[in-house]
Amino acid sequence: MNYDFSRELRLLTPEDYKFVFKQAHRAGSPHFTILARKNSLSHPRLGLAVPKKQIKTAVGRNKFKRIVRESFRNKQHSLPAKDFVVIAKKSAQELSNEDFNKLLDKLWHRLSRPSRG
């Protein structure tokens, strides 16, 4: 099994993001929100939104992205064919890496269930 985070696993264009924002299922926590929308591909894709307003330092934003990408990379084979956008909130910086990953796992799981309706 391949655990790369290759180009086709990323949301690349503004259109990709707009598509998800338009009609998304969301799973949120006080620290970040994950939006998900079914795509027409055979694999999940990940997009990140880490506003400077929420996480002030580049170091903080990069750390956030690194942890989310790593979690997605390890989970990609158990995720459904959906586009996911992870949006950072201020308090994300206060999480330990371990708590961050636990929370991500919980939200990935929640968004992987078949949608009701």
Side-chain angles (χ1 to χ4, degrees):
M1 247 193 233
N2 184 342
Y3 284 93
D4 286 356
F5 184 56
S6 60
R7 202 173 158 82
E8 62 254 19
L9 294 177
R10 299 181 207 152
L11 296 180
L12 298 169
T13 65
E15 285 71 40
D16 289 343
Y17 282 89
K18 278 194 194 103
F19 173 77
V20 179
F21 284 127
K22 235 187 356 226
Q23 283 188 323
H25 295 284
R26 57 180 55 220
S29 78
H31 309 293
F32 53 89
T33 301
I34 303 180
L35 304 177
R37 184 173 179 190
K38 210 178 224 56
N39 66 28
S40 53
L41 307 163
S42 58
H43 54 81
R45 294 190 304 174
L46 176 69
L48 294 160
V50 190
K52 279 186 186 162
K53 198 173 176 174
Q54 300 298 327
I55 299 182
K56 297 273 189 278
T57 65
V59 171
R61 291 191 299 279
N62 291 339
K63 179 182 171 199
F64 181 91
K65 292 185 217 171
R66 231 183 358 259
I67 294 171
V68 174
R69 277 197 293 256
E70 183 65 7
S71 167
F72 178 81
R73 208 174 57 71
N74 292 323
K75 283 259 179 282
Q76 65 189 14
H77 298 292
S78 59
L79 291 171
K82 290 183 175 177
D83 289 346
F84 295 95
V85 177
V86 181
I87 305 167
K89 295 183 187 166
K90 259 193 192 68
S91 59
Q93 309 167 85
E94 297 152 21
L95 286 173
S96 70
N97 290 8
E98 191 184 336
D99 290 343
F100 201 148
N101 279 309
K102 274 191 198 130
L103 192 52
L104 274 167
D105 285 349
K106 201 171 94 187
L107 296 182
W108 291 136
H109 180 71
R110 194 181 306 160
L111 287 167
S112 295
R113 295 190 305 232
S115 53
R116 300 177 294 278

